[in-house]
């Protein structure tokens, strides 16, 4: 089994890719320690602020500012889970930092045969499959570069991107009031 990559080594993947980083997000919640307090405040109806989010947004601005693309497709339920509502709240900040985030209904993801796990795909060369513990806490990623495995993930990326809609269109058509 590949080595688990986390922390600064995980973030280095975003500095090292050259063209396109793509993520498929299929989970209804994510246990990321830096988000615990902002998420709690969001659920209580308070403004979570952006201090906790700034390191990621700065990294995205820096990397997309060089011409790299960072794309995501988020599989979403109707209605969205509390955590996905939290992500919807934060999405305008991701977009402003240069990410392109699209939304795909869960039933469409199933019809398209997408996997039931999250992954990043870097330059259609490396798959970073996200790992979580039994309590849904993010542990890091396992990296894979087997050509057949990468090709399968590229095909899933293409299917997801083809069927997904922009954040703006999702907001117009589906989003409940935050």
């Amino acid at each position: 089994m590949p080595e688990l990559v986390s922390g600064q080594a995980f973030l280095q993947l975003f500095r090292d890719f050259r063209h396109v980083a793509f993520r498929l997000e299929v989970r209804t919640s994510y246990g990321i320690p830096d988000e615990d307090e902002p998420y709690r405040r969001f659920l209580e109806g308070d403004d979570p602020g952006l201090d906790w989010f700034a390191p990621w947004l700065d990294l995205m601005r820096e990397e997309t500012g060089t011409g790299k693309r960072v794309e995501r497709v988020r599989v979403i339920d109707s209605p969205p889970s509390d955590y996905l509502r939290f992500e919807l709240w934060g999405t305008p900040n991701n977009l402003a930092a240069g990410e392109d985030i699209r939304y795909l209904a869960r039933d469409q993801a199933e019809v398209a045969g997408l996997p039931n796990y999250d992954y990043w795909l870097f330059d259609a060369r490396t798959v970073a499959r996200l790992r979580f513990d039994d309590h849904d806490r993010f542990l890091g990623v396992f990296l894979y570069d087997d050509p057949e495995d990468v090709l399968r993930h590229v095909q899933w990326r293409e299917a997801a991107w083809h069927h997904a809609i922009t954040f703006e269109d999702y907001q117009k058509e589906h989003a409940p009031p935050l």
Side-chain angles (χ1 to χ4, degrees), residues 129-171:
R129 187 169 171 177
L130 280 70
R131 295 290 296 178
F132 296 84
D133 69 15
D134 293 337
H135 303 288
D136 285 337
R137 301 305 271 179
F138 177 66
L139 298 174
V141 298
F142 287 120
L143 301 179
Y144 301 90
D145 62 2
D146 172 71
E148 286 182 31
D149 190 45
V150 170
L151 177 59
R152 184 171 41 256
H153 287 82
V154 167
Q155 290 168 332
W156 285 330
R157 175 195 67 196
E158 295 302 311
W161 198 255
H162 175 75
H163 293 288
I165 61 174
T166 65
F167 174 71
E168 181 179 282
D169 287 343
Y170 178 82
Q171 287 293 89

Side-chain angles (χ1 to χ4, degrees), residues 19-38:
H19 305 289
V20 181
F22 169 84
R23 179 166 175 192
L24 178 66
E25 298 181 14
V26 301
R27 298 172 61 91
T28 58
S29 67
Y30 294 87
I32 301 173
D34 290 347
E35 294 180 356
D36 287 347
E37 180 62 18

Side-chain angles (χ1 to χ4, degrees), residues 14 17 19-23 69-71 120-123:
F14 295 92
F17 83 95
H19 305 289
V20 181
F22 169 84
R23 179 166 175 192
R69 291 193 337 252
V70 179
E71 305 169 342
W120 280 100
L121 177 65
F122 294 97
D123 291 329

Side-chain angles (χ1 to χ4, degrees), residues 38 41-42 46-54 57 86 89-90 93:
R41 292 192 350 234
F42 172 81
D46 295 334
D47 179 1
L50 292 176
D51 291 345
W52 61 277
F53 208 8
L57 297 174
F86 177 60
W89 167 86
N93 299 294

Side-chain angles (χ1 to χ4, degrees), residues 25-93:
E25 298 181 14
V26 301
R27 298 172 61 91
T28 58
S29 67
Y30 294 87
I32 301 173
D34 290 347
E35 294 180 356
D36 287 347
E37 180 62 18
Y39 180 52
R40 182 194 62 74
R41 292 192 350 234
F42 172 81
L43 291 176
E44 292 176 354
D46 295 334
D47 179 1
L50 292 176
D51 291 345
W52 61 277
F53 208 8
W56 177 260
L57 297 174
D58 291 345
L59 177 61
M60 291 300 100
R61 274 188 211 92
E62 182 180 318
E63 297 307 320
T64 61
T66 68
K68 296 178 182 179
R69 291 193 337 252
V70 179
E71 305 169 342
R72 299 184 197 223
V73 170
R74 289 182 172 153
V75 174
I76 194 159
D77 298 300
S78 182
S81 68
D82 286 343
Y83 187 87
L84 291 176
R85 287 188 317 102
F86 177 60
E87 283 192 327
L88 287 164
W89 167 86
T91 297
N93 299 294

